[in-house]
Amino acid sequence: MTPMDAAVDVSPEPNFPAAEGAALRRVTILGSTGSIGCNTIDLIARHPGAFEVEALTAQRRVDRLAEQARAVGAKQAVIGDPTLHGALEEALADTETVAAAGPEALVEAAAAPADFVMAGIVGAAGLRPTLAAAAQGTIIGLANKECLVCAGSLLLAEVERGGATLLPVDSEHNAIYQVFDFERSEGVEKIVLTASGGPFREATMETMAAATPEQAVAHPNWDMGAKISVDSATMMNKGLEMIEAFHLFPVDAEQIEVLVHPQSVIHSMVAYVDGSVLAQLGTPDMRTPIAYSLAWPARIAAPSPKLDLAALGRLTFEPPDPVRFPALRLARDALTQGGSAPIVLNAANEVAVGGFLDRRIGFLAIAETVERCLEQTNHRAVTGLDDVYEIDRAARDLAERLLADAG
């Protein structure tokens, strides 16, 4: 993954649209100042004349949002924090970009006509805008885990009602999407999510117990934010991805496996009943799956380093260690239980990771906190978005109390 503040003044790579005079693809980017958003902006800037930016949104980064809107000529820029409306208007005063602010404005931007919506808002704040994008029947590049982990059934129902197309942006799910035979899914034996194993793949339990936030975020292959890096270190990221995969692909929970692949070259695989295994390979750069989604069903050039297998020499694999990484078991149990369990898993993990990054708890206490939250919650069915928010709040409150008791 490239840095969150990737430059937008790049050299063009004019190979899309394929035909001269082809219609511009109208794009909205929800969460444009985050890592996924910045990489999407980077790719759009490399293909002048191919994309028209309808709207960009962010939560608080006014200066960065205004800079991006200028760079790509966005028609609208929306800041989630309504107190920053004036600051955004001032930053865009000499442009034709319309400034808006507040949670409802985010939803309205997502619901506005566009050919492609990148759903990159992090956390529960991304649920309503993504559902709004699905309702208008657009192509959605989904980069928000919470939408599937916490509200997978709700989102898929809205996608079907609106006639939308859901394209996964996570490198693992994007890889599976590229090699999954949706028309003959009965021929799929299993899907295999690959994992780097993170910085503690070979560490002792004593080393992990004493791990610092700095050590946990030092991912060997990917450049990611602190929270996602810690999830990689605990392997909770793979647990959440199992739940996402269950909603994205027509397979049973038992058909989803995790395999540690330290080089992060094979991004995931699909095994078929005849013994064939199809995999998508590439260097670890999020601009590859973003480019695939952004131009789908066509392809556009991306600046990702090209894969050189001869120089790489070898690829290795191993099963994940269930003792070092109990988060995988917790996630699989939550997936099996269904209902509110995945919401509790996600919320408790976010609180616990925050507590670790704030040095309130140790590294191993992250999974312990999540497990205690799951055990102490009376799980129930989820019938609507209000249920999701209510369960999420209750799980966060419980996790905060557990962290306070631990301190």
Side-chain angles (χ1 to χ4, degrees):
M1 184 175 289
T2 52
M4 291 178 65
D5 290 324
V8 294
D9 53 334
V10 293
S11 301
E13 299 178 30
N15 72 327
F16 178 83
E20 184 177 353
L24 297 177
R25 175 160 286 187
R26 299 170 300 162
V27 175
T28 289
I29 306 175
L30 307 176
S32 67
T33 62
S35 179
I36 294 294
C38 285
N39 281 315
T40 305
I41 293 284
D42 174 68
L43 286 165
I44 287 174
R46 292 174 185 273
H47 295 275
F51 302 98
E52 183 176 49
V53 178
E54 294 292 327
L56 301 177
T57 82
Q59 183 59 27
R60 292 191 56 84
R61 300 181 67 184
V62 169
D63 291 344
R64 184 59 172 156
L65 178 61
E67 177 190 344
Q68 291 177 329
R70 290 173 180 275
V72 297
K75 295 180 180 179
Q76 184 181 37
V78 182
I79 197 76
D81 185 341
T83 67
L84 297 175
H85 190 191
L88 182 61
E89 283 189 319
E90 182 178 353
L92 294 171
D94 60 341
T95 74
E96 296 183 0
T97 301
V98 177
E104 292 305 319
L106 291 178
V107 173
E108 290 171 6
D115 301 310
F116 177 88
V117 175
M118 177 59 78
I121 297 177
V122 176
L127 291 176
R128 287 184 63 212
T130 305
L131 287 168
Q136 62 133 321
T138 190
I139 301 171
I140 301 171
L142 186 64
N144 176 298
K145 287 185 180 298
E146 288 75 16
C147 286
L148 288 174
V149 173
C150 300
S153 297
L154 299 177
L155 176 60
L156 294 180
E158 200 62 53
V159 166
E160 184 174 359
R161 277 195 296 269
T165 299
L166 198 62
L167 301 176
V169 175
D170 271 358
S171 61
E172 295 83 1
H173 303 107
N174 187 271
I176 294 169
Y177 191 91
Q178 293 192 47
V179 297
F180 195 98
D181 190 345
F182 286 95
E183 294 184 0
R184 288 166 287 273
S185 61
E186 70 279 359
V188 173
E189 178 186 3
K190 63 182 178 181
I191 59 178
V192 181
L193 296 165
T194 56
S196 70
F200 302 136
R201 180 173 61 89
E202 298 179 324
T204 65
M205 296 301 291
E206 291 76 17
T207 297
M208 294 171 73
T212 65
E214 290 78 13
Q215 291 170 324
V217 302
H219 195 283
N221 300 330
W222 297 90
D223 180 10
M224 304 182 292
K227 193 270 179 183
I228 300 175
S229 296
V230 175
D231 281 349
S232 178
T234 64
M235 287 193 71
M236 181 60 84
N237 66 329
K238 291 303 132 179
L240 297 174
E241 287 168 13
M242 283 194 297
I243 299 172
E244 291 179 273
F246 175 76
H247 290 292
L248 284 167
F249 305 105
V251 296
D252 296 328
E254 297 76 17
Q255 292 175 277
I256 306 171
E257 293 186 5
V258 173
L259 184 66
V260 175
H261 168 49
Q263 295 81 22
S264 297
V265 168
I266 294 179
H267 296 298
S268 278
M269 298 176 276
V270 178
Y272 290 88
V273 293
D274 62 0
S276 299
V277 179
L278 303 186
Q280 186 265 345
L281 285 70
T283 53
D285 188 324
M286 280 303 298
R287 288 174 295 186
T288 297
I290 292 172
Y292 176 85
S293 304
L294 188 62
W296 181 89
R299 291 185 185 262
I300 57 173
S304 312
K306 302 307 177 186
L307 183 61
D308 186 339
L309 290 173
L312 190 64
R314 64 173 184 163
L315 303 176
T316 61
F317 309 90
E318 61 194 60
D321 186 331
V323 177
R324 284 193 184 94
F325 304 113
L328 288 172
R329 169 180 55 82
L330 298 176
R332 191 173 288 280
D333 288 348
L335 172 58
T336 301
Q337 188 163 3
S340 60
I343 304 173
V344 175
L345 175 89
N346 179 74
N349 179 65
E350 286 194 9
V351 172
V353 169
F356 169 69
L357 290 171
D358 291 340
R359 306 179 196 275
R360 297 165 59 194
I361 60 172
F363 180 78
L364 296 181
I366 297 173
E368 293 169 0
T369 301
V370 174
E371 184 162 24
R372 291 176 66 190
C373 280
L374 287 167
E375 291 173 346
Q376 296 180 31
T377 300
N378 293 321
H379 297 292
R380 58 185 175 89
V382 179
T383 59
L385 203 53
D386 288 342
D387 283 347
V388 174
Y389 290 134
E390 180 185 340
I391 295 163
D392 179 83
R393 284 194 297 269
R396 289 175 191 275
D397 289 345
L398 175 57
E400 287 288 1
R401 290 197 298 273
L402 292 174
L403 261 61
D405 292 344

